[in-house]
Amino acid sequence: MTDTAVYAAGAVVWRMLEGKLRVLLIHRTKYRDVTLPKGKVDPGEMLAETAVREVREETGIRVCLGVPVGVSKYWMRPKRQKVVHYWAAEATDDAIRASSFVPNGEIAAIEWVSVKQARQRLSYPVDIEILENFARLVEDGVLHTFPLIALRHAKAIARSDWDGPDAARPLTGKGARQAKAIVAPLRAFGVRRIVTSDAERCRQTVAPLERKLGRAARVTDKISQDAWEHGTADIRSVIGRRVRSRKPAVLCSHGPVLPELLSEMALATGTMRGSYVNSASALAMSAFSVVHLSATNPGSGIISIETHEPKV
């Protein structure tokens, strides 16, 4: 991000209605236009949590993010660029029924339409470009996805400052703040399952997420740094289980282990390995890479990878 640009995030929200795909448009009161739900990043937010929050605030619908569908950029007055990141996001029947939307001073109406109708009704070319990216996902048959998220543990006390076993090193104060900061972004992708290395720094990293979800992590030495260094890790079985489950999950591990973690995701899904896998595994502490896989055919390869890092 740059200091001069205004950042925002939103989604192409979709649903299946009587077997037909529909996308959600919003009619804004003040501007008298038709657009996609989006809004500015609040201080301290990461883009993914902004997208989910803005969809909820503007439409009343709680969504989880799917595949990214592009970034729109345009100029605002006075000479400031606005950068908007978008994801595909399914609105479930339960989420729609739970919506509390009523017309208000910001949003006059919301409307479910076909992709063809959306092309005709959207007010801005930048929104139509995002819609076209979404339409290509539909054409490719990869709209239904689930994420596997590779997470590097938050900042821990340095080895040089620690007298005990390496696996017992705890997080620093900054690391504890990072662990809290990633809870909302991880939840934005619908994470419900947590797998973590048995190292204390990993367990402490996922502890705030465990509390928020009310669900205990699966703790294993199979993806720990100690096991990896001793040649006893079993990353393949962990990844295979997660791919077969087709459920959103986060796997918390260590910097040296992450390249193999991502490589196994590629192998398990029949994806040709390339430099993008290496890039996705080169994570700062508390950063994570979201690997999007087809929910109907995980063996068809990785659909998309995106990386996020908290500014803590």
Side-chain angles (χ1 to χ4, degrees):
M1 293 187 182
T2 65
D3 292 335
T4 56
V6 175
Y7 286 86
V12 180
V13 181
W14 62 275
R15 68 186 293 200
M16 298 303 296
L17 189 61
E18 297 179 349
K20 296 181 179 180
L21 178 68
R22 296 291 182 262
V23 295
L24 185 62
L25 305 181
I26 62 171
H27 296 249
R28 296 194 296 181
T29 306
K30 178 180 178 181
Y31 300 102
R32 297 181 179 275
D33 59 8
V34 180
T35 185
L36 301 170
K38 66 179 183 300
K40 295 178 185 177
V41 174
D42 279 349
E45 272 189 335
M46 293 171 67
L47 288 163
E49 61 184 303
T50 300
V52 171
R53 175 183 57 77
E54 285 291 340
V55 169
R56 180 79 182 278
E57 290 180 358
E58 293 190 339
T59 71
I61 300 171
R62 186 188 296 274
V63 297
C64 295
L65 303 181
V67 177
V69 289
V71 181
S72 69
K73 299 179 181 180
Y74 53 92
W75 290 97
M76 304 166 58
R77 297 175 184 175
K79 296 184 178 180
R80 294 190 72 186
Q81 190 177 46
K82 190 167 186 178
V83 181
V84 190
H85 291 250
Y86 287 95
W87 286 263
E90 182 180 7
T92 65
D93 290 341
D94 287 345
I96 293 169
R97 283 192 291 268
S99 171
S100 57
F101 173 80
V102 292
N104 54 68
E106 182 181 1
I107 309 298
I110 61 176
E111 181 182 22
W112 292 100
V113 299
S114 68
V115 172
K116 180 179 180 180
Q117 290 170 325
R119 289 190 185 101
Q120 299 168 344
R121 299 188 192 188
L122 285 167
S123 299
Y124 305 108
V126 288
D127 285 351
I128 296 174
E129 290 177 10
I130 297 298
L131 181 70
E132 295 300 343
N133 293 340
F134 172 84
R136 281 191 284 274
L137 286 178
V138 178
E139 292 168 5
D140 292 342
V142 291
L143 188 56
H144 294 272
T145 60
F146 71 97
L148 293 185
I149 302 176
L151 167 66
R152 186 179 179 187
H153 65 77
K155 184 174 179 59
I157 292 175
R159 285 192 182 192
S160 58
D161 297 330
W162 181 250
D163 293 330
D166 181 66
R169 278 193 292 134
L171 298 184
T172 63
K174 179 177 181 179
R177 293 191 296 274
Q178 290 173 331
K180 292 180 180 178
I182 59 176
V183 170
L186 289 172
R187 293 187 70 210
F189 291 100
V191 165
R192 294 291 299 165
R193 287 164 175 77
I194 309 166
V195 181
T196 181
S197 158
D198 59 357
E200 184 65 17
R201 55 193 181 277
C202 287
R203 298 183 69 168
Q204 290 187 4
T205 297
V206 300
L209 180 61
E210 287 181 289
R211 290 192 291 270
K212 191 67 177 180
L213 295 179
R215 175 173 293 199
R218 176 172 173 254
V219 180
T220 176
D221 65 351
K222 293 180 179 180
I223 58 172
S224 72
Q225 186 166 340
D226 281 352
W228 180 81
E229 289 176 350
H230 290 101
T232 58
D234 188 7
I235 298 168
R236 177 161 296 178
S237 70
V238 174
I239 296 302
R241 180 177 179 179
R242 296 272 52 91
V243 171
R244 289 191 300 273
S245 76
R246 308 187 189 194
K247 303 291 184 183
V250 59
L251 300 97
C252 184
S253 190
H254 311 260
V257 185
L258 290 172
E260 190 170 339
L261 202 71
L262 270 295
S263 291
E264 287 296 339
M265 289 185 192
L267 284 169
T269 56
T271 306
M272 292 185 64
R273 285 179 289 179
S275 59
Y276 66 93
V277 172
N278 295 330
S279 298
S281 63
L283 297 175
M285 291 181 182
S286 76
F288 58 89
S289 287
V290 184
V291 178
H292 296 275
L293 305 175
S294 168
T296 53
N297 186 14
S300 64
I302 293 172
I303 307 303
S304 176
I305 302 180
E306 55 182 300
T307 298
H308 299 266
E309 180 181 347
K311 303 301 180 183
V312 178

